[in-house]
């Protein structure tokens, strides 16, 4: 299913409603699965990816969302929140809060 996704945070800071409404949605296929390789305690992490809608070998359209949780669902879509790993400037990677507003593509 082709979905329309808008990020709700920028580098861990929540965007305003107006910024979220004005953002250009990214179209892709939402895939959520377990990831065991990166976890030191051997438990699986849940990871959400937004994949290219037609090209399977294309890189992910957004940075992966770790430990995603649906926190709100409406008749128009749902809000998926979790953590992303990003690099700001020349610093070490850090985990930041991220959310995806997900809707079915019209």
């Amino acid at each position: 299913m082709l979905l329309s996704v808008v990020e709700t945070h920028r580098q861990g800071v929540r965007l305003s409603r107006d910024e979220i409404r004005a953002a250009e949605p990214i179209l892709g296929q939402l895939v959520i699965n377990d990831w065991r390789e990166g976890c030191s305690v051997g438990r699986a992490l849940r990871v959400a990816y937004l994949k290219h809608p037609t090209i399977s070998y294309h890189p992910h359209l957004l940075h992966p969302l770790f430990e995603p949780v649906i926190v709100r669902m409406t008749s128009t879509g749902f809000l998926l929140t979790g953590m992303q790993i990003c690099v700001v400037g020349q610093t070490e990677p850090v985990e930041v809060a991220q959310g995806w507003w997900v809707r079915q593509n019209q």
Side-chain angles (χ1 to χ4, degrees):
M1 179 185 318
L2 193 57
L3 298 174
S4 169
V5 176
V6 173
E7 291 184 304
T8 62
H9 291 68
R10 185 175 299 125
Q11 295 179 352
V13 178
R14 189 171 187 331
L15 301 173
S16 70
R17 285 188 186 269
D18 292 335
E19 289 175 312
I20 294 170
R21 285 187 187 125
E24 186 69 29
I26 300 171
L27 300 177
Q29 293 180 340
L30 180 65
V31 176
I32 300 175
N33 56 22
D34 291 335
W35 182 58
R36 292 190 182 277
E37 295 83 20
C39 188
S40 62
V41 294
R43 76 172 179 86
L45 288 175
R46 189 72 38 137
V47 183
Y49 301 98
L50 188 65
K51 297 195 175 238
H52 194 278
T54 58
I55 305 171
S56 63
Y57 59 84
H58 195 277
H60 306 299
L61 298 173
L62 294 171
H63 292 289
L65 191 64
F66 292 93
E67 296 296 346
V69 176
I70 295 177
V71 294
R72 184 173 28 156
M73 186 172 275
T74 68
S75 60
T76 59
F78 61 92
L79 179 63
L80 192 65
T81 64
M83 302 300 287
Q84 280 185 336
I85 298 173
C86 73
V87 177
V88 180
Q90 298 294 329
T91 63
E92 292 290 319
V94 294
E95 288 185 3
V96 295
Q98 182 56 274
W100 293 351
W101 177 246
V102 182
R103 295 181 302 161
Q104 187 172 358
N105 189 35
Q106 307 291 329

